Amino acid sequence: MSDYLALAKDAFEASTTYVDANFRKDWEYSLRAFRNEHAAGSKYLSDEYKSRSRLFPPHTRTIIRKNEAAAMQAAFSNREVVNVEAGNPDDVMSVASAAAIKEVMEYRLSRTIPTFQLYLGGVQDAQTTGTVCSYQYWEYENVEGRKKKDQPCIELRPIENIRLDAGASWLDPVGTSPYFCDIIPMYVCDVKAMMKNKDEKTGAPKWKTFDDSVILKARPDSMDTTKKARLGQQQDPEDETSGIKNFDIVWVLRWFMKDSQGGDRVFYTLGTEELLTPDKPIDEVYFHGVRPYVIGYAILETHKAFKSGLPVLTRPLQQESAEITNQRIDNVKFVLNKRWIVARGRQVDV
């Protein structure tokens, strides 16, 4: 029997090293450029330029916002969200089925799923970091025999929270990677609730039970540098200690890992320290038997699982524009704000 906790720990370390070495700096630059900030280590952030002009012309953000507007106009120019037609228009049952599916999708995409925000956020992520990842699932909650939630959900995942193998196919990185990991920040109280909730089929707790000392070991050690670039000067809400242990945030990792027979196993870990759930075949957890993640992009680059974002491709032009702008402003200030030089013994009335 495979030791999935050990495999998860090794996979997490290897994939994190790969991300840090190849993509972390580009993601940080892209997010800072989108926020109109100079890249980390730029001369404009040094003490020598403290009194100099340090503007960042918003060309990168302007391009991305224009592309967002064009994408939203293309997606929402019609009143109907989707268009579903029967494959065989002569078959009465096919026509009726297409009409029913269309109505259900229209209702879900306009009432229970925030389509506008998700579409706009996906376009923004795809352009900024080069890659957008979404998680599709069905949210179901039953409290004391009463159905509380029963609806499909789509969730955009930050690309820095995704781990996969470096050798995954560029056409389908999610499906071809031998493992796929999603880092989920959760409150301690929510983790404890999952440990108390019982599976309706087996009657056993959904997650293994651990005490506070073990759960708090899964707190983030340090703030993710990519998230820091995303937040700017703001504090990371997931890295702050509230003083109330139940409201502290820990990392729960959702894993999809291939077994020796080529099938997928699904399990959760508390950080990389403890196994929260036993490994299960994917078709027992998701009825369709497919990893419920999709990775997309705005700019096609062959043979690369993670594509380059628009800020990275336009970085030389953005940096040159900032250099010219700041030099021009500094020189204008030097010309207009002339300094008077007073020398001793020159009979100058001071």
Side-chain angles (χ1 to χ4, degrees), residues 254-282:
R254 182 188 293 119
W255 286 94
F256 301 84
M257 191 169 292
K258 291 188 180 298
D259 56 21
S260 57
Q261 284 76 36
D264 258 345
R265 312 293 290 188
V266 183
F267 57 94
Y268 288 80
T269 61
L270 188 62
T272 55
E273 306 298 327
E274 299 291 344
L275 199 64
L276 281 173
T277 64
D279 57 283
K280 296 180 180 179
I282 190 171

Side-chain angles (χ1 to χ4, degrees), residues 20 36 66 79 85 90 93-94 111 115-116 122 125 158 168 193 205 214 216 221 247 273 286 298 304 308 315 321 344:
D20 291 343
N36 300 330
K66 285 183 177 180
R79 295 183 60 182
E85 296 181 355
D90 296 329
M93 293 300 296
S94 295
R111 301 291 182 88
T115 309
F116 183 88
D125 277 355
V214 177
L216 292 176
D221 294 332
F247 297 157
E273 306 298 327
Y286 302 96
K304 291 177 65 177
S308 299
R315 175 161 40 187
S321 175
R344 180 180 296 176

